[in-house]
Structure formats: structure tokens, C-alpha cells
């Protein structure tokens, strides 16, 4: 699909996120530098996500000890977290240079015909939502950025 973001100078898309029957459309920036989709916790709470139900300690320890360079193991852990619907507390370093406490939690995303449950990073910061590589870029056939304000996503 081709998107024309009108007044926004960056590559944006408006996917639908859903959780337990609740839905929201969000303007998101396509960010090839972001590992995960990053969304404000306030959005997650409005969708009914309970971030207080965290994964058991032994499972959280797997996240702490995973070799982040081994994408096969990372993807296996992501799949297991999505299946069990665990909230995983974490700290992440944002582009601003600060470290922020956050959560990993799965969410259903729809962009046109593309529909997939992905792992997202939920931040307490009030920031623009980002669509990152894991779950989005690695699921698409092609993303083409063209001069001007148009880009093309092939699903």
C-alpha cells in the first residue's frame, strides 16, 4: 500500500493495534534503527494491558541472559513470551542517551492485509510510537522510501 503522510515529514503509517477486543489506530514512525516497536504504556493501558502481571522470575532471567546476537534464540524467546502473554520488565537505552524502565508485551498489529501478534516495548515516556525491525521489518517483503513524502510497503 502507498501512504501519503500529508503534513508529516517522516515516514509514518497508521496501523491498528488490538488487545482483548479493544482497538486503537496510532500514527507510528517507521524506524529502521529501532529494534522493537515502541509504544507508550498509557496506550497499552487504554487497550486493557495489565503490566503488573509480570512473568515468573525464571522466565525473566531468560530475557536477562539471552545472547542478543543470537537471533534464533531471541526469536524463540519472543515467541514463548507472546504465547504466554507475559509482561517482561526491562531497561532500555533510548536514542536520547537515557536509560528507561519499560516492559515487553505482545500486541496484535494490522497494517492493511498484514496482521500479526508482535512483541512491543512499552515505555512510560510520552513519545511518538515507533515501528521497529523485530516483528515489522522482518515480516515485510519490501519497504521503499522515495524522495518527497511517499513510501511503499509490500506485505
Amino acid at each position: 500500500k502507498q501512504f501519503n503522510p500529508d503534513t508529516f515529514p517522516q515516514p509514518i503509517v497508521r496501523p491498528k493495534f488490538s488487545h482483548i477486543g479493544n482497538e486503537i489506530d496510532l500514527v507510528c514512525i517507521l524506524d529502521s534503527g529501532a529494534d522493537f516497536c515502541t509504544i507508550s504504556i498509557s496506550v497499552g493501558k487504554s487497550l486493557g494491558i495489565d503490566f503488573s502481571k509480570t512473568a515468573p522470575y525464571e522466565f525473566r532471567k531468560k530475557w536477562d541472559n539471552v545472547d542478543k546476537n543470537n537471533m534464533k534464540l531471541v526469536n524463540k524467546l519472543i515467541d514463548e513470551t507472546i504465547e504466554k502473554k507475559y509482561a517482561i520488565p526491562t531497561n532500555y537505552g533510548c536514542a536520547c542517551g537515557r536509560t528507561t524502565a519499560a516492559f515487553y508485551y505482545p500486541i496484535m498489529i494490522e497494517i492493511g492485509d498484514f496482521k500479526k501478534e508482535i512483541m512491543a516495548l512499552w515505555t512510560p515516556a510520552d513519545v511518538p510510537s515507533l515501528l521497529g525491525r523485530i516483528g515489522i521489518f522482518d515480516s515485510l517483503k519490501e519497504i521503499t522510501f522515495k524522495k518527497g513524502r511517499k513510501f511503499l510497503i509490500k506485505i
Side-chain angles (χ1 to χ4, degrees):
K1 285 194 166 189
Q2 188 166 327
F3 298 89
N4 188 350
D6 297 328
T7 61
F8 293 95
Q10 60 272 78
I12 66 161
V13 64
R14 186 182 292 267
K16 180 190 312 181
F17 292 93
S18 58
H19 178 73
I20 57 169
N22 300 314
E23 297 179 346
I24 190 169
D25 291 337
L26 285 178
V27 173
C28 299
I29 299 170
L30 284 170
D31 185 352
S32 61
D35 292 330
F36 287 90
C37 296
T38 305
I39 309 168
S40 175
I41 283 177
S42 62
V43 172
K45 288 180 178 177
S46 72
L47 288 169
I49 297 173
D50 183 357
F51 293 101
S52 68
K53 293 183 179 180
T54 59
Y57 172 76
E58 288 302 317
F59 192 81
R60 292 192 321 257
K61 196 172 176 181
K62 287 182 187 178
W63 271 92
D64 292 340
N65 296 329
V66 70
D67 176 2
K68 302 214 177 15
N69 293 316
N70 185 336
M71 284 311 295
K72 186 175 180 178
L73 284 177
V74 170
N75 287 330
K76 183 178 177 190
L77 194 54
I78 288 170
D79 290 344
E80 190 175 351
T81 305
I82 289 172
E83 178 186 326
K84 296 184 185 225
K85 305 290 187 272
Y86 284 147
I88 309 293
T90 189
N91 291 306
Y92 78 98
C94 83
C96 68
R98 286 184 262 155
T99 299
T100 305
F103 293 93
Y104 290 113
Y105 192 86
I107 189 72
M108 184 64 69
I109 185 172
E110 288 182 61
I111 306 170
D113 294 335
F114 175 79
K115 183 175 182 179
K116 182 180 180 183
E117 192 166 23
I118 62 165
M119 182 64 65
L121 179 68
W122 300 88
T123 176
D126 187 23
V127 296
S129 299
L130 304 176
L131 298 185
R133 293 187 316 271
I134 297 172
I136 301 297
F137 282 63
D138 59 2
S139 298
L140 300 175
K141 290 180 185 173
E142 182 180 353
I143 299 176
T144 305
F145 297 91
K146 300 190 178 212
K147 280 190 170 184
R149 297 175 180 244
K150 295 184 180 182
F151 61 95
L152 184 68
I153 296 176
K154 289 186 183 176
I155 300 170

